[in-house]
């Protein structure tokens, strides 16, 4: 399956990031907890050189506990402050201010030595499309605050949302471009619904997801749909169509509908908490 990307977007996104990054002390990087490497652009390490860094494993509610724990260890070993969150739930952000202070310890200490006291940390949220940046900013900063920069007709300058005495947040997130020269990265992002669906063949995609689940989560499809698993991925889609009565008007089974249903069940967590990749 061939997944396309458009370099025009990339160049523009990169330029915008480079400009915004000059203004800040801390990068709050969001990745999708179900595929933290595939949903991350490692170029951020170059772009963000010299900045304090944090990684938020977002959508942790949809990823397996074992995956979340493994990825927390992985990023901590790389020297990042890490938190797993569900950006829709304010309660999952309780620890964040202390984690921010921890991530910015060196900057705060440097300021103190220069006699600068109480200068707020300036932070920006960054990540590839669909990782939950806007949802996070809304939960973290409050809906009203996050909206002010996006109103039509308001010139988009850089607006800072003052969260408290210690932290100011850039109201628009930095958009990173996915890194998928590697087809397996593109495929995982497609499973997650994080790249434009319209350009993809959903039947192919769902068959690929079946193949992945058979291997990594044996028994799951059997349990969810009550179907036998000793079939090819395409036959499994047909089995799902039968099990869910996806019928065509003229007779026969509506496999494309079963494909959409499977993708939707996966993306919404109805198939359970599924991590697509683990650290080596
Ligand atoms: P952005 O493109 O990075 O700004 O992503 P959005 O904030 O628009 O979020 C993309 C989708 O993911 C939306 O449908 C959100 O409701 C959903 N979403 C964001 N964070 C979470 C999370 O932690 N858990 C779950 N289950 N869904 C989330």
């Amino acid at each position: 399956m061939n997944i396309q990307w458009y370099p025009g977007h990339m160049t523009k996104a990169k330029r915008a990031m480079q400009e915004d990054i000059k203004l800040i002390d801390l990068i709050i990087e969001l990745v999708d907890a179900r595929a933290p490497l595939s949903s991350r652009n490692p170029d951020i390490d170059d772009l963000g050189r010299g900045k304090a860094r944090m990684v938020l494993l977002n959508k942790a509610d949809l990823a397996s506990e074992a995956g979340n724990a493994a990825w927390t260890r992985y990023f901590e070993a790389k020297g990042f402050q890490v938190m797993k969150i569900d950006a829709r739930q304010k309660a999952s952000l309780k620890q964040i201010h202390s984690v921010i202070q921890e991530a910015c310890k060196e900057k705060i200490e440097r300021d103190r030595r220069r006699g600068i006291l109480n200068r707020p940390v300036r932070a920006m949220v960054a990540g590839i499309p669909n990782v939950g940046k806007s949802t996070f900013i809304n939960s973290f900063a409050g809906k009203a605050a996050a909206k002010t920069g996006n109103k039509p007709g308001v010139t988009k300058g850089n607006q800072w949302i003052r969260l408290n005495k210690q932290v100011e947040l850039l109201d628009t997130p930095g958009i990173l471009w996915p890194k998928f020269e590697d087809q397996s990265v593109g495929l995982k992002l497609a499973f997650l619904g994080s790249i434009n669906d319209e350009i993809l063949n959903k039947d192919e995609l769902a068959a690929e997801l079946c193949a992945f689940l058979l291997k990594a989560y044996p028994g799951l499809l059997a349990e969810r749909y009550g179907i036998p698993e000793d079939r090819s991925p395409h036959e499994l889609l047909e089995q799902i169509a039968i099990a869910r009565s996806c019928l065509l008007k003229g007779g026969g089974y509506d496999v494309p509908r079963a494909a959409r249903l499977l993708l939707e069940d996966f993306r919404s967590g109805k198939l359970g908490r599924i991590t697509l990749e683990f650290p080596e």
Side-chain angles (χ1 to χ4, degrees):
M1 182 171 213
N2 202 24
I3 292 159
Q4 302 287 334
W5 181 249
Y6 312 106
H9 285 112
M10 273 198 276
T11 321
K12 208 168 148 213
K14 188 160 187 169
R15 213 173 297 132
M17 270 299 282
Q18 279 165 334
E19 282 311 304
D20 282 354
I21 251 170
K22 292 180 191 155
L23 308 169
I24 56 139
D25 309 299
L26 167 70
I27 301 174
I28 302 177
E29 182 188 358
L30 266 72
V31 298
D32 190 310
R34 294 167 293 175
L37 280 196
S38 298
S39 64
R40 166 163 211 263
N41 187 324
D43 289 1
I44 183 108
D45 292 336
D46 274 334
L47 283 170
R49 206 165 288 280
K51 306 292 177 184
R53 301 284 300 278
M54 261 169 83
V55 171
L56 301 183
L57 297 171
N58 191 36
K59 309 196 187 184
D61 56 299
L62 296 171
S64 74
E65 292 282 8
N68 291 342
W71 285 111
T72 301
R73 284 193 302 274
Y74 171 91
F75 285 112
E76 279 175 354
K78 289 198 175 299
F80 294 110
Q81 292 295 319
V82 186
M83 255 181 91
K84 47 182 190 188
I85 63 165
D86 171 349
R88 298 164 313 166
Q89 308 284 340
K90 250 191 151 118
S92 79
L93 305 179
K94 261 202 301 229
Q95 304 296 328
I96 196 162
H97 281 290
S98 61
V99 178
I100 289 177
Q101 292 305 303
E102 192 57 36
C104 296
K105 226 168 37 186
E106 280 173 26
K107 180 221 172 269
I108 293 164
E109 187 48 39
R110 211 163 47 231
D111 279 358
R112 201 190 331 260
R113 279 200 302 271
R114 291 178 184 152
I116 305 167
L117 293 178
N118 304 326
R119 194 179 66 171
V121 166
R122 290 195 149 185
M124 87 183 285
V125 172
I128 69 166
N130 205 47
V131 283
K133 297 178 297 298
S134 321
T135 309
F136 171 75
I137 293 176
N138 282 342
S139 293
F140 189 36
K143 284 205 161 54
K147 266 192 201 141
T148 50
N150 295 338
K151 274 183 204 147
V154 175
T155 337
K156 186 194 165 282
N158 282 303
Q159 307 227 17
W160 296 93
I161 308 167
R162 202 181 176 95
L163 296 175
N164 58 25
K165 279 195 182 131
Q166 281 100 36
V167 187
E168 288 177 5
L169 184 70
L170 202 56
D171 71 344
T172 38
I175 299 178
L176 296 166
W177 50 101
K179 188 114 191 148
F180 55 115
E181 293 90 11
D182 177 351
Q183 283 290 305
S184 86
V185 170
L187 193 59
K188 285 174 207 164
L189 293 177
F191 290 164
L192 297 176
S194 292
I195 51 183
N196 192 352
D197 254 342
E198 308 301 308
I199 62 172
L200 298 173
N201 177 332
K202 290 248 176 75
D203 296 4
E204 269 315 302
L205 188 62
E208 296 273 7
L209 182 59
C210 278
F212 167 81
L213 292 171
L214 281 180
K215 208 163 131 212
Y217 292 82
L220 191 82
L221 290 171
E223 188 188 327
R224 168 82 188 163
Y225 302 109
I227 57 172
E229 283 197 346
D230 55 345
R231 305 289 155 95
S232 74
H234 282 282
E235 286 164 351
L236 280 175
L237 288 180
E238 204 174 277
Q239 289 292 321
I240 294 173
I242 296 169
R244 289 301 156 101
S245 308
C246 302
L247 300 170
L248 288 169
K249 276 213 182 81
Y253 290 101
D254 189 347
V255 174
R257 207 171 110 211
R260 289 194 303 273
L261 189 112
L262 174 71
L263 289 169
E264 183 46 40
D265 280 357
F266 166 70
R267 290 170 184 169
S268 65
K270 285 194 190 118
L271 283 181
R273 298 175 63 176
I274 293 170
T275 295
L276 295 177
E277 63 193 13
F278 281 80
E280 303 258 299

